[in-house]
Amino acid sequence: MNHRLELAVNDAVDEVQAVNHFKVFMDKLHNLYSQSNKNSRELMEAAQEVGSQVLKIGRVLNTRWVASSFRSVKAVWRSYEALNRHFENAAGDQTRNGKERQTYRGLARRMQSKEFLCDLGLMYDALSELSNLSQQLQAHSITLLRAEQLLKRTIRVLASFKDSPGEKLEEALKAQALGQFGSVSLESNAKLMPINTKQFLQSLINNMEKRLSFKDEILHDLSILDSSTWPSTPGIRHGESQVKPLCRRFNLCQEQAVNGMRDFIEHPESEPECLKPLIHCMQTIPCSTAECERGFSLMNIVYTDQRSRMLLSSVSNLMMISINKPF
C-alpha cells in the first residue's frame, strides 16, 4: 500500500505542472548543499547570524518514501531565514565569479517570493498528512480494516484543506499579506507559476482513491468485524452472509464463527472466543511490504562481513530471535 501511495503522489505531481517547478527548485537546493562542504558551512554560519535552525535538505517527490519528502520540505521551512541570508551573502561575495553570484541572486529572489512561500506551506501541510499515513501503514499491528479507515480519514483531511488552509499554509498566507516572513521581506514574482491549491489537493485525492481503492470482496466481508459499520439495531443474524465466506476462505469452522458473531452482536463491547480465530486470520493479511523490507534490513545487520562464514540456519535463528524478542 505504501508503494501505491507513492504512485498516487507521483501521478498528482505529473498532473499539476506547477508542482514540478517546485520539485526542480527543491532538488537544486539539495544539490547545492550536498555537493559542497563550503556551501554547507556557509549555511551554518548564516543560520547563526539569524538565530535559525538548519536541518538536512534532501530530495522531494522522487523514488523515496513520501516521509522523506516531508522531512526535506520541513527542513526548508525551518531553515527559511538561514537559506535566504546565505543566498544574499553569496550573491554579494566578490570572491565568487559573476555566474555564481547571479545564480545566488536568482535563488534569493525565489526564496523571497510570496508564491514560493505559499507553495512551501501547501506542500508542508499535504506531505505532513501523507507522511503520517505512510508511517502508520508500515506499523506492525496494521490491518486491512484499520488501513481503510486511515486512508479515508486522510482523504477527508486533504479535502478539508481546500476550504480551510492547513496550519503552515495559513501561516504563509498571513506572511504574504504582511509582506514579511520572519526576517525575510517578501515580494510578488510574476514569473513564478504558483501551485493551484484546490487542483493539487483534488488531484491527490483522485489518485489516492484510484490507486488505493478498497472494493475487494474480502474487505467487504471483513468489515462486518468492525462494529462501527453496523446499523443502529442489527438483527441477530446480521453478518452471517459475510462470516461464512471468510470461514471458507480461511478454512475455519463456520458454525463456531457464526455463534461467535451472534455473541458479538449481543455484546459488542467484548471479543467472543469463538470469533477470535477469524479475527486472528484477518490480522495476518499484510497491508504493505514493510515487514519484508524490515526482514532484509535485519539480515544485513545480522549477516556482516565479519560473520560471513555463518551457517544459513544460524542466520535464520538469530533473525527469528530478533524479530520475536519480547522487548
Side-chain angles (χ1 to χ4, degrees), residues 60-75:
V60 299
L61 305 173
N62 60 352
T63 55
R64 303 186 68 182
W65 295 121
V66 70
S68 176
S69 297
F70 170 64
R71 287 194 295 270
S72 298
V73 170
K74 181 180 179 181

Side-chain angles (χ1 to χ4, degrees), residues 138-154:
Q138 297 177 53
H140 288 285
S141 59
I142 193 68
T143 64
L144 277 176
L145 293 179
R146 179 60 178 161
E148 181 189 30
Q149 293 172 354
L150 292 172
L151 174 63
K152 290 181 177 179
R153 184 174 70 185
T154 301

Side-chain angles (χ1 to χ4, degrees), residues 152-175:
K152 290 181 177 179
R153 184 174 70 185
T154 301
I155 289 176
R156 289 198 303 271
V157 172
L158 293 175
S160 71
F161 285 160
K162 293 194 294 182
D163 301 318
S164 177
E167 178 185 358
K168 298 304 180 183
L169 179 55
E170 186 174 6
E171 188 177 340
L173 291 172
K174 289 180 180 178

Side-chain angles (χ1 to χ4, degrees), residues 15-187:
E15 290 177 4
V16 183
Q17 186 178 4
V19 179
N20 273 311
H21 297 164
F22 176 85
K23 178 179 179 294
V24 168
F25 179 71
M26 292 291 292
D27 287 345
K28 187 177 293 186
L29 292 182
H30 165 72
N31 294 333
L32 188 68
Y33 294 108
S34 65
Q35 299 174 5
S36 171
N37 291 330
K38 177 184 177 182
N39 286 335
S40 298
R41 186 178 65 254
E42 290 177 348
L43 178 61
M44 295 298 295
E45 294 171 356
Q48 293 176 357
E49 290 180 24
V50 298
S52 180
Q53 181 182 11
V54 173
L55 300 177
K56 184 178 179 180
I57 301 173
R59 296 186 182 277
V60 299
L61 305 173
N62 60 352
T63 55
R64 303 186 68 182
W65 295 121
V66 70
S68 176
S69 297
F70 170 64
R71 287 194 295 270
S72 298
V73 170
K74 181 180 179 181
V76 174
W77 181 272
R78 294 271 185 92
S79 311
Y80 198 90
E81 295 178 72
L83 287 167
N84 181 71
R85 178 61 62 89
H86 177 223
F87 294 156
E88 289 183 334
N89 292 343
D93 186 359
Q94 296 302 316
T95 62
R96 299 178 184 270
N97 59 46
K99 184 178 179 180
E100 284 185 319
R101 293 199 301 272
Q102 185 62 32
T103 298
Y104 283 106
R105 274 193 288 271
L107 293 172
R109 284 196 296 270
R110 183 69 179 258
M111 290 293 294
Q112 295 164 5
S113 67
K114 297 178 179 179
E115 292 80 5
F116 174 74
L117 180 61
C118 290
D119 289 350
L120 187 64
L122 170 63
M123 297 303 294
Y124 190 111
D125 291 331
L127 291 176
S128 174
E129 294 298 328
L130 295 173
S131 172
N132 183 39
L133 174 62
S134 177
Q135 290 174 346
Q136 290 186 84
L137 291 176
Q138 297 177 53
H140 288 285
S141 59
I142 193 68
T143 64
L144 277 176
L145 293 179
R146 179 60 178 161
E148 181 189 30
Q149 293 172 354
L150 292 172
L151 174 63
K152 290 181 177 179
R153 184 174 70 185
T154 301
I155 289 176
R156 289 198 303 271
V157 172
L158 293 175
S160 71
F161 285 160
K162 293 194 294 182
D163 301 318
S164 177
E167 178 185 358
K168 298 304 180 183
L169 179 55
E170 186 174 6
E171 188 177 340
L173 291 172
K174 289 180 180 178
Q176 183 185 47
L178 294 173
Q180 189 83 13
F181 183 66
S183 60
V184 181
S185 298
L186 302 176
E187 297 179 354

